[in-house]
Amino acid sequence: MIEEQSNIHHARYKAMSIMKTFRAEKLAFQILKISPFLVFLGSVTSPEFLWVNDKVLEYLGWEFDEIVNINWLSLIHPDDRQKSLDAFLIFQKTGKIGFEGEQFTNRYRTKKGLYKEIIWNSVMESKEEMYMIFGNI
């Protein structure tokens, strides 16, 4: 009987912990969604955006369904493409862009074909996902 009560208590604790984690993740996502900064969730395994917030869409002029189906390297200015690819490959191995605290700058093509310079930094969420926080210059 005591063991059964202990198991029930443990199951309740675990369920509450899962719910708190779920609520925290949902809240974090909502904060990213309304952030005044350009926020991208990208793949670590390939140069693609998995999700972007509305600020990205507003700044670059793309629709959500368009930008998440574009290889982001194709949006980079041709003169910045190699350094961007090199930084991405380093990030895949180390989880860091450049040196500690260093930010990265490159130019992204808007839907209208103009290029806008963006300064950004990134953090690896998992072996599959990374968050990139951008600011326009």
Side-chain angles (χ1 to χ4, degrees), residues 37-64:
F37 299 101
L38 309 174
V39 180
F40 294 76
L41 173 60
S43 171
V44 172
T45 58
S46 64
E48 62 184 334
F49 297 127
L50 304 174
W51 176 85
V52 299
N53 70 353
D54 290 343
K55 287 293 183 186
V56 172
L57 304 176
E58 179 184 316
Y59 188 67
L60 296 177
W62 298 96
E63 296 295 324
F64 182 83

Side-chain angles (χ1 to χ4, degrees), residues 74-89:
S74 69
L75 296 177
I76 304 289
H77 189 281
D79 294 344
D80 297 344
R81 215 168 273 159
Q82 189 59 52
K83 77 173 185 172
S84 299
L85 179 58
D86 293 345
F88 179 66
L89 295 174

Side-chain angles (χ1 to χ4, degrees), residues 117-133:
E117 193 167 31
I118 297 177
I119 187 166
W120 57 277
N121 211 328
S122 180
V123 63
M124 189 178 292
E125 167 63 15
S126 67
K127 293 293 183 186
E128 291 84 33
E129 297 175 338
M130 65 177 161
Y131 288 102
M132 297 172 278
I133 307 297

Side-chain angles (χ1 to χ4, degrees), residues 4 17 21-22 25 40 45 53 64-65 71 76 90 107 109 112 115 117 136:
E4 185 178 312
S17 178
T21 300
F22 175 75
E25 288 177 357
F40 294 76
T45 58
N53 70 353
F64 182 83
D65 291 341
N71 175 318
I76 304 289
I90 290 168
R107 294 165 284 179
R109 180 172 42 89
K112 293 182 178 180
Y115 285 91
E117 193 167 31
N136 58 338

